[in-house]
Amino acid sequence: MSEEKTVKLIFLGAPGAGKGTQAELTAEKYKIPTISTGAILREAIAAGTELGKTAAGYVESGALVPDDLIVGLVSERISRPDCKNGFILDGFPRTIAQAKALDESGTEISVVIDIDVPDGKIIDRMAGRRVCASCGATFHVVHNPTGDGIHCDRCGGELTRRRDDDPEIVRQRLRTYHSETEPLVGYYEAKGTLKRIDGDGKVEDITAAVFEVVDDYLGSET
Ligand code: AMP
């Protein structure tokens, strides 16, 4: 095993499957950054940048932002020094074209973790999801509540509800997921990098399963 082994992870799964929560916990444990394309877009929208203005209509209607925009943004982000020991991609790639662009950039992904949750549970989950307005951490009013239910446990920021967590938009996001993103499961399965985790359970049980997958990878010969 090489001491320098990097951990480049992709978290796949439907919106609301728990990718963001698991990505944060994994990032903390393995001391690598999480790159959430959704969070980057939401920040850009809030700040009113050019990227935000272009992305707003797509994000708010539950559609995907055009591939070239997202691919450029991710390539720039993963070339920064804090990614030299690895990173977690949360919400990218979301189309086969994005996955191919990532492959063509020469980025070798260690493991793709697919967090699997049935659609029926997703809409219910999204209704209770809360996001910190300051640091972007995600919580759930029932399954992963904060200490006081109003503020973020991590930074004390105010908890808010994402506009695209509205049930009507969630249904659209699920349709987008099944048509555009789910084919990536087969794509990475064919490459031999896919690990499936049952995401319909307690946060800590899913985290344990995720850590086991990463530890297996780190302990394996290259
Ligand atoms: P998320 O927070 O990952 O659920 O992303 C929220 C929204 O941002 C999505 O519904 C899309 O509109 C947009 N988005 C995030 N990541 C991507 C991506 N990789 N490709 C295209 N659109 C994205």
Side-chain angles (χ1 to χ4, degrees), residues 10 12-14 112-116 177 185 194-198:
I10 291 174
L12 266 187
V112 178
I113 298 175
D114 177 37
I115 304 184
D116 198 27
Y177 169 75
V185 173
L194 189 83
K195 296 282 178 196
R196 272 206 185 85
I197 286 181
D198 180 2

Side-chain angles (χ1 to χ4, degrees), residues 41-101:
L41 294 172
R42 280 187 291 282
E43 270 168 39
I45 294 170
T49 63
E50 278 310 309
L51 169 67
K53 282 183 203 150
T54 312
Y58 298 100
V59 173
E60 281 158 21
S61 65
L64 294 182
V65 168
D67 288 333
D68 53 348
L69 208 83
I70 284 286
V71 167
L73 187 151
V74 173
S75 336
E76 187 280 323
R77 180 64 190 85
I78 63 179
S79 69
R80 291 194 208 162
D82 66 332
C83 292
K84 75 175 193 322
N85 295 325
F87 51 75
I88 299 171
L89 294 176
D90 161 21
F92 179 93
R94 246 180 165 101
T95 62
I96 295 280
Q98 292 178 14
K100 287 190 171 156

Side-chain angles (χ1 to χ4, degrees), residues 2-222:
S2 140
E3 278 179 38
E4 301 288 317
K5 207 163 178 179
T6 58
V7 191
K8 296 180 178 172
L9 304 175
I10 291 174
F11 278 70
L12 266 187
K19 296 188 298 292
T21 301
Q22 297 302 335
E24 287 297 332
L25 294 164
T26 308
E28 219 168 275
K29 173 157 163 96
Y30 297 95
K31 314 231 171 332
I32 46 176
T34 294
I35 298 160
S36 159
T37 43
I40 294 172
L41 294 172
R42 280 187 291 282
E43 270 168 39
I45 294 170
T49 63
E50 278 310 309
L51 169 67
K53 282 183 203 150
T54 312
Y58 298 100
V59 173
E60 281 158 21
S61 65
L64 294 182
V65 168
D67 288 333
D68 53 348
L69 208 83
I70 284 286
V71 167
L73 187 151
V74 173
S75 336
E76 187 280 323
R77 180 64 190 85
I78 63 179
S79 69
R80 291 194 208 162
D82 66 332
C83 292
K84 75 175 193 322
N85 295 325
F87 51 75
I88 299 171
L89 294 176
D90 161 21
F92 179 93
R94 246 180 165 101
T95 62
I96 295 280
Q98 292 178 14
K100 287 190 171 156
L102 186 65
D103 288 344
E104 279 155 21
S105 74
T107 307
E108 289 207 7
I109 296 299
S110 320
V111 189
V112 178
I113 298 175
D114 177 37
I115 304 184
D116 198 27
V117 178
D119 277 16
K121 301 255 167 161
I122 298 272
I123 297 181
D124 185 41
R125 275 195 189 188
M126 308 285 252
R129 179 154 80 169
R130 298 293 180 269
V131 182
C132 172
S134 305
C135 75
T138 55
F139 301 92
H140 190 280
V141 290
V142 179
H143 308 300
N144 182 24
T146 65
D148 68 0
I150 309 169
H151 298 100
C152 174
D153 278 352
R154 204 168 73 174
C155 77
E158 196 186 327
L159 295 186
T160 55
R161 191 163 168 209
R162 281 171 51 171
R163 266 167 68 182
D164 62 348
D165 279 350
D166 178 86
E168 202 48 44
I169 312 278
V170 170
R171 273 187 277 274
Q172 180 52 47
R173 291 169 66 200
L174 278 172
R175 279 194 289 273
T176 306
Y177 169 75
H178 289 300
S179 64
E180 306 279 336
T181 309
E182 210 170 19
L184 290 174
V185 173
Y187 181 86
Y188 287 114
E189 198 159 39
K191 285 183 176 288
T193 44
L194 189 83
K195 296 282 178 196
R196 272 206 185 85
I197 286 181
D198 180 2
D200 186 10
K202 283 201 210 143
V203 172
E204 54 269 35
D205 294 341
I206 299 157
T207 307
V210 170
F211 289 180
E212 202 180 315
V213 164
V214 179
D215 287 341
D216 267 1
Y217 170 76
L218 285 171
S220 67
E221 297 296 318
T222 37

